[in-house]
PDB file of all heavy atoms in Angstrom:
ATOM      1  N   TYR A   5     -16.720  10.183-130.001  1.00 89.00           N
ATOM      2  CA  TYR A   5     -18.017   9.634-129.986  1.00 89.00           C
ATOM      3  C   TYR A   5     -18.107   8.282-130.494  1.00 89.00           C
ATOM      4  O   TYR A   5     -18.661   7.402-129.817  1.00 89.00           O
ATOM      5  CB  TYR A   5     -18.993  10.580-130.791  1.00 89.00           C
ATOM      6  CG  TYR A   5     -20.428   9.980-130.924  1.00 89.00           C
ATOM      7  CD1 TYR A   5     -21.311  10.117-129.912  1.00 89.00           C
ATOM      8  CD2 TYR A   5     -20.743   9.364-132.142  1.00 89.00           C
ATOM      9  CE1 TYR A   5     -22.508   9.482-130.057  1.00 89.00           C
ATOM     10  CE2 TYR A   5     -22.110   8.854-132.246  1.00 89.00           C
ATOM     11  CZ  TYR A   5     -22.929   8.932-131.213  1.00 89.00           C
ATOM     12  OH  TYR A   5     -24.192   8.403-131.275  1.00 89.00           O
ATOM     13  N   GLU A   6     -17.516   7.992-131.706  1.00 89.00           N
ATOM     14  CA  GLU A   6     -17.606   6.717-132.291  1.00 89.00           C
ATOM     15  C   GLU A   6     -17.032   5.629-131.523  1.00 89.00           C
ATOM     16  O   GLU A   6     -17.434   4.537-131.373  1.00 89.00           O
ATOM     17  CB  GLU A   6     -16.979   6.720-133.802  1.00 89.00           C
ATOM     18  CG  GLU A   6     -17.745   7.607-134.698  1.00 89.00           C
ATOM     19  CD  GLU A   6     -17.311   9.061-134.573  1.00 89.00           C
ATOM     20  OE1 GLU A   6     -16.426   9.550-133.778  1.00 89.00           O
ATOM     21  OE2 GLU A   6     -18.058   9.920-135.207  1.00 89.00           O
ATOM     22  N   ARG A   7     -15.862   5.981-130.912  1.00 90.00           N
ATOM     23  CA  ARG A   7     -15.115   4.968-130.051  1.00 90.00           C
ATOM     24  C   ARG A   7     -15.969   4.760-128.761  1.00 90.00           C
ATOM     25  O   ARG A   7     -16.048   3.572-128.361  1.00 90.00           O
ATOM     26  CB  ARG A   7     -13.724   5.557-129.722  1.00 90.00           C
ATOM     27  CG  ARG A   7     -13.014   4.757-128.693  1.00 90.00           C
ATOM     28  CD  ARG A   7     -12.134   3.668-129.346  1.00 90.00           C
ATOM     29  NE  ARG A   7     -11.471   2.915-128.285  1.00 90.00           N
ATOM     30  CZ  ARG A   7     -11.474   1.614-128.186  1.00 90.00           C
ATOM     31  NH1 ARG A   7     -12.048   0.901-129.041  1.00 90.00           N
ATOM     32  NH2 ARG A   7     -10.877   1.089-127.170  1.00 90.00           N
ATOM     33  N   PHE A   8     -16.587   5.801-128.239  1.00 91.00           N
ATOM     34  CA  PHE A   8     -17.337   5.682-126.999  1.00 91.00           C
ATOM     35  C   PHE A   8     -18.615   4.795-127.173  1.00 91.00           C
ATOM     36  O   PHE A   8     -18.871   3.859-126.412  1.00 91.00           O
ATOM     37  CB  PHE A   8     -17.822   6.968-126.423  1.00 91.00           C
ATOM     38  CG  PHE A   8     -18.468   6.867-125.193  1.00 91.00           C
ATOM     39  CD1 PHE A   8     -17.787   6.664-123.887  1.00 91.00           C
ATOM     40  CD2 PHE A   8     -19.872   7.052-125.074  1.00 91.00           C
ATOM     41  CE1 PHE A   8     -18.480   6.521-122.762  1.00 91.00           C
ATOM     42  CE2 PHE A   8     -20.591   6.857-123.906  1.00 91.00           C
ATOM     43  CZ  PHE A   8     -19.833   6.679-122.730  1.00 91.00           C
ATOM     44  N   VAL A   9     -19.309   4.987-128.267  1.00 89.00           N
ATOM     45  CA  VAL A   9     -20.512   4.272-128.469  1.00 89.00           C
ATOM     46  C   VAL A   9     -20.302   2.821-128.913  1.00 89.00           C
ATOM     47  O   VAL A   9     -21.146   1.902-128.761  1.00 89.00           O
ATOM     48  CB  VAL A   9     -21.615   4.910-129.420  1.00 89.00           C
ATOM     49  CG1 VAL A   9     -22.041   6.241-128.847  1.00 89.00           C
ATOM     50  CG2 VAL A   9     -21.005   5.098-130.811  1.00 89.00           C
ATOM     51  N   THR A  10     -19.114   2.568-129.551  1.00 89.00           N
ATOM     52  CA  THR A  10     -18.864   1.228-129.876  1.00 89.00           C
ATOM     53  C   THR A  10     -18.118   0.378-128.874  1.00 89.00           C
ATOM     54  O   THR A  10     -18.093  -0.810-128.891  1.00 89.00           O
ATOM     55  CB  THR A  10     -18.075   1.148-131.300  1.00 89.00           C
ATOM     56  OG1 THR A  10     -16.894   1.872-131.104  1.00 89.00           O
ATOM     57  CG2 THR A  10     -18.849   1.685-132.344  1.00 89.00           C
ATOM     58  N   HIS A  11     -17.413   1.109-127.887  1.00 91.00           N
ATOM     59  CA  HIS A  11     -16.714   0.524-126.794  1.00 91.00           C
ATOM     60  C   HIS A  11     -16.913   1.214-125.508  1.00 91.00           C
ATOM     61  O   HIS A  11     -16.035   1.779-124.859  1.00 91.00           O
ATOM     62  CB  HIS A  11     -15.109   0.505-127.110  1.00 91.00           C
ATOM     63  CG  HIS A  11     -14.815  -0.227-128.387  1.00 91.00           C
ATOM     64  ND1 HIS A  11     -14.803   0.358-129.536  1.00 91.00           N
ATOM     65  CD2 HIS A  11     -14.489  -1.541-128.617  1.00 91.00           C
ATOM     66  CE1 HIS A  11     -14.454  -0.439-130.459  1.00 91.00           C
ATOM     67  NE2 HIS A  11     -14.269  -1.653-129.954  1.00 91.00           N
ATOM     68  N   PRO A  12     -18.207   1.298-125.048  1.00 91.00           N
ATOM     69  CA  PRO A  12     -18.457   2.141-123.874  1.00 91.00           C
ATOM     70  C   PRO A  12     -17.752   1.745-122.545  1.00 91.00           C
ATOM     71  O   PRO A  12     -17.312   2.599-121.850  1.00 91.00           O
ATOM     72  CB  PRO A  12     -19.955   1.989-123.696  1.00 91.00           C
ATOM     73  CG  PRO A  12     -20.322   0.785-124.451  1.00 91.00           C
ATOM     74  CD  PRO A  12     -19.362   0.606-125.519  1.00 91.00           C
ATOM     75  N   VAL A  13     -17.513   0.431-122.385  1.00 93.00           N
ATOM     76  CA  VAL A  13     -16.882  -0.001-121.092  1.00 93.00           C
ATOM     77  C   VAL A  13     -15.365   0.532-121.122  1.00 93.00           C
ATOM     78  O   VAL A  13     -14.907   1.083-120.222  1.00 93.00           O
ATOM     79  CB  VAL A  13     -16.905  -1.526-120.923  1.00 93.00           C
ATOM     80  CG1 VAL A  13     -16.025  -1.965-119.831  1.00 93.00           C
ATOM     81  CG2 VAL A  13     -18.325  -1.957-120.767  1.00 93.00           C
ATOM     82  N   GLU A  14     -14.728   0.215-122.188  1.00 94.00           N
ATOM     83  CA  GLU A  14     -13.300   0.589-122.259  1.00 94.00           C
ATOM     84  C   GLU A  14     -13.150   2.149-122.166  1.00 94.00           C
ATOM     85  O   GLU A  14     -12.183   2.608-121.534  1.00 94.00           O
ATOM     86  CB  GLU A  14     -12.700   0.126-123.589  1.00 94.00           C
ATOM     87  CG  GLU A  14     -12.512  -1.318-123.733  1.00 94.00           C
ATOM     88  CD  GLU A  14     -13.905  -2.078-124.197  1.00 94.00           C
ATOM     89  OE1 GLU A  14     -14.818  -1.409-124.397  1.00 94.00           O
ATOM     90  OE2 GLU A  14     -13.736  -3.241-124.483  1.00 94.00           O
ATOM     91  N   GLU A  15     -13.971   2.897-122.911  1.00 94.00           N
ATOM     92  CA  GLU A  15     -13.820   4.424-122.869  1.00 94.00           C
ATOM     93  C   GLU A  15     -14.214   4.952-121.508  1.00 94.00           C
ATOM     94  O   GLU A  15     -13.562   5.812-121.026  1.00 94.00           O
ATOM     95  CB  GLU A  15     -14.795   4.972-123.921  1.00 94.00           C
ATOM     96  CG  GLU A  15     -14.087   4.910-125.352  1.00 94.00           C
ATOM     97  CD  GLU A  15     -12.729   5.527-125.419  1.00 94.00           C
ATOM     98  OE1 GLU A  15     -12.650   6.751-125.497  1.00 94.00           O
ATOM     99  OE2 GLU A  15     -11.735   4.743-125.507  1.00 94.00           O
ATOM    100  N   THR A  16     -15.207   4.387-120.821  1.00 93.00           N
ATOM    101  CA  THR A  16     -15.580   4.814-119.585  1.00 93.00           C
ATOM    102  C   THR A  16     -14.427   4.608-118.562  1.00 93.00           C
ATOM    103  O   THR A  16     -14.102   5.373-117.772  1.00 93.00           O
ATOM    104  CB  THR A  16     -16.821   4.225-119.020  1.00 93.00           C
ATOM    105  OG1 THR A  16     -17.837   4.588-120.002  1.00 93.00           O
ATOM    106  CG2 THR A  16     -17.277   4.835-117.703  1.00 93.00           C
ATOM    107  N   LYS A  17     -13.879   3.411-118.614  1.00 96.00           N
ATOM    108  CA  LYS A  17     -12.601   3.004-117.779  1.00 96.00           C
ATOM    109  C   LYS A  17     -11.582   4.130-118.008  1.00 96.00           C
ATOM    110  O   LYS A  17     -10.928   4.568-117.162  1.00 96.00           O
ATOM    111  CB  LYS A  17     -12.163   1.665-118.083  1.00 96.00           C
ATOM    112  CG  LYS A  17     -12.946   0.589-117.548  1.00 96.00           C
ATOM    113  CD  LYS A  17     -12.410  -0.824-117.807  1.00 96.00           C
ATOM    114  CE  LYS A  17     -13.357  -1.862-117.313  1.00 96.00           C
ATOM    115  NZ  LYS A  17     -12.716  -3.213-117.640  1.00 96.00           N
ATOM    116  N   ARG A  18     -11.300   4.512-119.357  1.00 96.00           N
ATOM    117  CA  ARG A  18     -10.270   5.390-119.619  1.00 96.00           C
ATOM    118  C   ARG A  18     -10.608   6.840-119.083  1.00 96.00           C
ATOM    119  O   ARG A  18      -9.664   7.440-118.455  1.00 96.00           O
ATOM    120  CB  ARG A  18     -10.131   5.423-121.115  1.00 96.00           C
ATOM    121  CG  ARG A  18      -8.964   6.239-121.693  1.00 96.00           C
ATOM    122  CD  ARG A  18      -8.706   6.080-123.209  1.00 96.00           C
ATOM    123  NE  ARG A  18      -9.765   6.728-123.922  1.00 96.00           N
ATOM    124  CZ  ARG A  18      -9.690   7.980-124.234  1.00 96.00           C
ATOM    125  NH1 ARG A  18      -8.521   8.777-124.017  1.00 96.00           N
ATOM    126  NH2 ARG A  18     -10.608   8.679-125.004  1.00 96.00           N
TER     127      ARG A  18
END
Side-chain angles (χ1 to χ4, degrees):
Y5 172 78
E6 296 81 8
R7 174 91 179 130
F8 183 77
V9 298
T10 56
H11 300 89
V13 172
E14 293 86 351
E15 285 299 287
T16 303
K17 284 180 181 178
R18 191 172 72 91

